[in-house]
Amino acid sequence: MSTAEETAGGEAQPWGEVTPDAARRLLLAAVEAFAERGYHATTTRDIAGRAGMSPAALYIHYKTKEELLHRISRIGHEKALDILRTASRGEGTATERLADAVSSFVRWHARGRTTARVVQYELDSLGPDARAEIVGLRRQVDAEVRGIIEDGVRSGEFDVPDVPGTTLAVLSLCIDVARWFNVDGSRTPEQVGALYADLVLRMVGAGNTGSV
């Protein structure tokens, strides 16, 4: 699967919110280049060449290479936050909502693994202002998962002595899928999502408290 077939949301329509078409093509090219070579080893010429455009054309839509990374990161984190927010604020028990959150988050990282690698692992390449914005979005992501776990502890569904540490472990587990997932491997994104949801429920002691 090429990056053009992925999106920040793991869907089948690539980056439809980015307009005009030339700006979207450049963003797709940047995702591919950053994932393959890393942000610092990628030049604006690399990006423009992948998009079939001249380096001068890039600056019509993006002032700097960092602006491209910032936009990729912001859209990606907003998509991830929306996925977790939908799950955390849905109906059902804390156990059901945590399973939904984890399976959805994992599928996002598997289906859009190239994009997710850039979104999750290039944070330190951003300048202070852009980095602060993305860190703020990450805190919101953390809060959604932490909120579900706290609900489960209050209801007696989960046995979690360290909620912040467990939240970090859950998110780290999900995010790492972008690093290793292979579309030609033995498991589909759906299968990995289901597996990780089961692992996380075991991690928080769901079903072992005597109250569920």
Side-chain angles (χ1 to χ4, degrees):
M1 181 186 293
S2 69
T3 307
E5 294 171 304
E6 298 178 357
T7 76
E11 300 159 353
Q13 184 176 355
W15 300 87
E17 63 270 73
V18 179
T19 58
D21 180 67
R24 184 174 64 86
R25 284 164 52 201
L26 286 163
L27 187 141
L28 284 165
V31 170
E32 292 177 347
F34 294 157
E36 181 181 317
R37 306 188 62 184
Y39 174 79
H40 292 294
T42 298
T43 67
T44 53
R45 184 175 295 275
D46 294 331
I47 296 168
R50 287 171 185 258
M53 301 166 69
S54 69
L58 185 148
Y59 295 107
I60 296 173
H61 303 283
Y62 302 99
K63 294 178 181 178
T64 63
K65 183 176 71 168
E66 186 194 344
E67 184 179 335
L68 263 168
L69 177 61
H70 182 204
R71 191 164 191 191
I72 292 164
S73 296
R74 184 176 65 247
I75 293 173
H77 279 87
E78 287 172 347
K79 293 280 189 180
L81 178 58
D82 182 62
I83 288 168
L84 291 174
R85 186 170 282 160
T86 298
S88 71
R89 300 182 184 184
E91 297 181 357
T93 64
T95 298
E96 292 167 338
R97 288 184 287 124
L98 184 59
D100 186 25
V102 170
S103 61
S104 299
F105 202 44
V106 165
R107 291 196 304 271
W108 182 82
H109 283 83
R111 291 173 181 164
R113 64 202 177 283
T114 305
T115 296
R117 283 200 299 272
V118 176
V119 168
Q120 299 292 5
Y121 296 120
E122 289 287 2
L123 176 64
D124 290 337
S125 298
L126 292 169
D129 291 343
R131 189 180 189 280
E133 180 186 3
I134 301 307
V135 167
L137 288 169
R138 288 193 175 199
R139 286 174 178 156
Q140 292 180 62
V141 164
D142 181 279
E144 294 298 335
V145 175
R146 187 174 66 251
I148 302 173
I149 295 174
E150 288 171 344
D151 286 347
V153 172
R154 282 193 294 268
S155 69
E157 294 172 62
F158 302 158
D159 179 14
V160 180
D162 183 349
V163 172
T166 301
T167 300
L168 177 61
V170 169
L171 289 171
S172 298
L173 190 69
C174 296
I175 288 168
D176 194 55
V177 171
R179 182 185 59 78
W180 64 260
F181 184 80
N182 184 347
V183 69
D184 297 319
S186 61
R187 297 180 189 269
T188 65
E190 291 74 21
Q191 290 171 330
V192 178
L195 171 64
Y196 275 47
D198 180 68
L199 291 172
V200 167
L201 292 182
R202 292 171 185 269
M203 182 189 300
V204 298
N208 297 327
T209 65
S211 300
V212 182

